[in-house]
Amino acid sequence: MGLIAISETPLHVLAVDDSNLDRKLIERLLKTFSYHVTAVDSGSKALEFLGLKDVEKMEKISPFSPNPEVEVNMVITDYCMPGMTGFELLKKIKESKSLKDIPVVIMSSDNIPARINRCLEEGAEEFFLKPVRLSDVGKLKPYLSKNERKTTEEEECVSSDNSRATYNDDHNDDDDDEVEASTDEDEQIQMLRKTIEEQCVLNDNSRAMHNDDHKDDDDEVEAWSDEDEQSQRFSKDQSC
Amino acid sequence: MEQNHTKRQIKVTRNSLFEQGYLDEQFTQLEDLQDDANPNFVEEIVTSFFSDSTRLIRNVETALENYPLDFCKLDDYMHQFMGSSSSIGAKKVRNECTQFQEYCKARNDDGCIRAFQRVKQEHATLKRKLEAYFQVSL
């Protein structure tokens, strides 16, 4: 009997959220779709898991090699976390040569269009408003199927190296990936923005009270930034 | 006959939690995630919520004892509290958290203290009601 040539390993999602409750919830949601889930409580632990250690030093030394034992097909992260925010985690992943192809999804309990746009522009595939629902997780399939395991691990490493090489060739001279992205990517981003806007509208309708409280969040962010004490917290809308 | 009576009782208890605004649609989402493989999912999530929120309440109480009030910290705690409340569909608790955040933004000491009392009140009421609900439904 030979070894099994085709391995149908479940897709692996790394979930990042400092809230124990939300971690349990996202894990359950993801497992409904038969994804294998690793849940961590911080951005730094996420990077560690992905094989990115000593990120500050990273930039000064030659390319590290990611943890070969671990393959992550998607990262889904909360935005508001102490220490490293989900946005900062997204940036670090997208700046990493070896990790930038991993699709990243952001979750947030705050409906702030400026925040949503910034995340999408930084390369997030989706932005989910919390509480995340099954229907949201259902939208992740297309992003995961690109990386789906269909071959043996060895073949998979080679083919993913090849596809990354192709991707890197295509985007080698980009200063801003989004500006020079392919037409397909542009379309995807436009569709995504539309979906997010629609989602915001739907959420407005279905969670009237919540959104009434938050519809002036942009104003509130500006108001806060006028205060010295709050300017640190809110001015860049990166801390929560 | 007794079994039907209990089932009816469960349904009535559950519906009243929604009708009286203690719970919203998110709670139904949690129920939908419960199945044979995860038979106690809702109770586990709710238990997590009360464990997390009890800790947050203690943190807020401590923060409210230190003057001048650190509104940033308080807002942060409430943001977490509100997030957790949303995640389980705890509508009234979430609304009181939002009120508290409004007072934080207005830097209103008394408002914060009063709002926090209401948060604690709604939190305690919900805990009581959900405990009773789980007792009859499990």
Side-chain angles (χ1 to χ4, degrees):
Chain A
M1 276 290 209
L3 292 169
I4 297 168
I6 308 281
S7 107
E8 300 249 351
T9 324
L11 296 165
H12 186 190
V13 181
L14 177 63
V16 192
D17 202 316
D18 61 312
S19 159
N20 178 39
L21 170 60
D22 286 348
R23 271 200 311 282
K24 281 198 166 86
L25 186 50
I26 193 67
E27 192 168 346
R28 179 74 193 96
L29 286 166
L30 290 165
K31 283 181 173 170
T32 306
F33 288 85
S34 303
Y35 300 133
H36 172 59
V37 183
T38 299
V40 297
D41 65 4
S42 71
S44 48
K45 283 193 188 148
L47 291 175
E48 216 177 292
F49 186 81
L50 291 164
L52 240 174
K53 289 183 168 70
D54 292 326
V55 180
E56 259 79 57
K57 288 185 197 165
M58 245 283 316
E59 282 147 359
K60 295 170 190 162
I61 55 175
S62 55
F64 69 99
S65 53
N67 187 344
E69 314 269 321
V70 168
E71 165 127 6
V72 169
N73 302 112
M74 166 171 281
V75 174
I76 181 163
T77 177
D78 187 27
Y79 186 97
C80 290
M81 297 188 291
M84 190 187 300
T85 66
F87 180 75
E88 285 160 353
L89 174 60
L90 164 68
K91 273 186 78 171
K92 290 201 196 302
I93 289 171
K94 292 303 168 187
E95 283 165 4
S96 155
K97 205 171 169 184
S98 55
L99 301 176
K100 64 180 183 170
D101 292 334
I102 300 178
V104 180
V105 170
I106 309 279
M107 309 178 278
S108 175
S109 50
D110 299 311
N111 186 355
I112 303 174
R115 174 182 292 182
I116 297 171
N117 282 333
R118 192 160 6 93
C119 289
L120 295 177
E121 280 163 13
E122 196 61 39
E125 306 290 349
E126 291 272 358
F127 189 106
F128 294 152
L129 285 175
K130 281 180 160 185
V132 176
R133 301 180 173 190
L134 265 176
S135 53
D136 294 319
V137 179
K139 294 177 193 166
L140 298 179
K141 221 173 159 207
Y143 306 113
L144 284 153
S145 62
K146 271 191 277 189
N147 295 326
E148 198 171 333
R149 291 181 179 206
K150 286 173 187 166
T151 59
T152 60
E153 281 193 28
E154 202 186 329
E155 285 169 17
E156 181 209 332
C157 284
V158 170
S159 70
S160 73
D161 278 344
N162 286 341
S163 67
R164 278 182 192 158
T166 311
Y167 183 88
N168 287 338
D169 284 341
D170 288 344
H171 295 266
N172 225 357
D173 297 322
D174 283 352
D175 289 328
D176 180 347
D177 278 350
E178 194 174 298
V179 168
E180 296 187 25
S182 66
T183 318
D184 283 345
E185 270 192 30
D186 276 337
E187 273 176 23
Q188 269 181 33
I189 289 164
Q190 291 305 324
M191 273 173 61
L192 211 65
R193 287 214 170 108
K194 192 159 180 271
T195 310
I196 297 295
E197 279 160 20
E198 283 165 10
Q199 185 177 336
C200 290
V201 169
L202 283 171
N203 286 343
D204 279 341
N205 291 337
S206 67
R207 301 179 212 167
M209 188 69 164
H210 181 75
N211 286 327
D212 278 347
D213 295 334
H214 288 270
K215 71 180 176 191
D216 295 325
D217 260 358
D218 283 342
D219 294 339
E220 285 170 359
V221 169
E222 285 167 24
W224 277 102
S225 70
D226 289 339
E227 303 272 346
D228 281 349
E229 207 182 329
Q230 280 82 37
S231 61
Q232 228 174 347
R233 250 173 81 79
F234 293 110
S235 62
K236 290 180 183 176
D237 186 38
Q238 283 196 11
S239 50
C240 303
Chain B
M1 192 67 165
E2 243 180 53
Q3 203 183 22
N4 285 341
H5 184 73
T6 313
K7 276 190 184 165
R8 199 163 8 108
Q9 195 183 359
I10 294 167
K11 201 173 175 188
V12 165
T13 308
R14 183 190 171 278
N15 288 349
S16 75
L17 288 169
F18 284 86
E19 283 156 16
Q20 289 168 34
Y22 289 102
L23 297 175
D24 65 23
E25 204 237 294
Q26 175 60 16
F27 193 83
T28 314
Q29 293 274 322
L30 299 181
E31 289 173 320
D32 289 345
L33 291 171
Q34 188 158 290
D35 56 18
D36 292 338
N38 302 274
N40 302 311
F41 178 71
V42 182
E43 205 194 358
E44 282 166 16
I45 288 282
V46 168
T47 305
S48 270
F49 169 72
F50 284 112
S51 160
D52 289 353
S53 56
T54 303
R55 179 183 43 85
L56 279 168
I57 284 174
R58 274 203 303 272
N59 290 342
V60 173
E61 271 167 349
T62 306
L64 286 173
E65 285 163 12
N66 293 316
Y67 282 82
L69 292 185
D70 184 344
F71 291 107
C72 270
K73 201 187 247 184
L74 287 168
D75 185 71
D76 195 40
Y77 288 141
M78 272 304 132
H79 187 266
Q80 292 176 54
F81 206 139
M82 205 197 64
S84 305
S85 309
S86 286
S87 293
I88 70 156
K91 193 173 171 184
K92 286 196 185 202
V93 176
R94 189 194 70 219
N95 291 344
E96 295 303 341
C97 290
T98 306
Q99 283 301 309
F100 185 101
Q101 283 188 293
E102 294 301 316
Y103 283 116
C104 275
K105 286 178 169 69
R107 306 178 74 82
N108 184 334
D109 288 16
D110 287 338
C112 279
I113 291 167
R114 282 197 313 267
F116 184 57
Q117 292 312 311
R118 285 196 295 274
V119 168
K120 282 201 291 189
Q121 220 169 343
E122 288 300 341
H123 179 262
T125 305
L126 181 66
K127 191 160 194 256
R128 213 177 52 241
K129 287 187 178 282
L130 282 176
E131 276 169 358
Y133 171 64
F134 287 128
Q135 242 172 3
V136 293
S137 63
L138 292 176

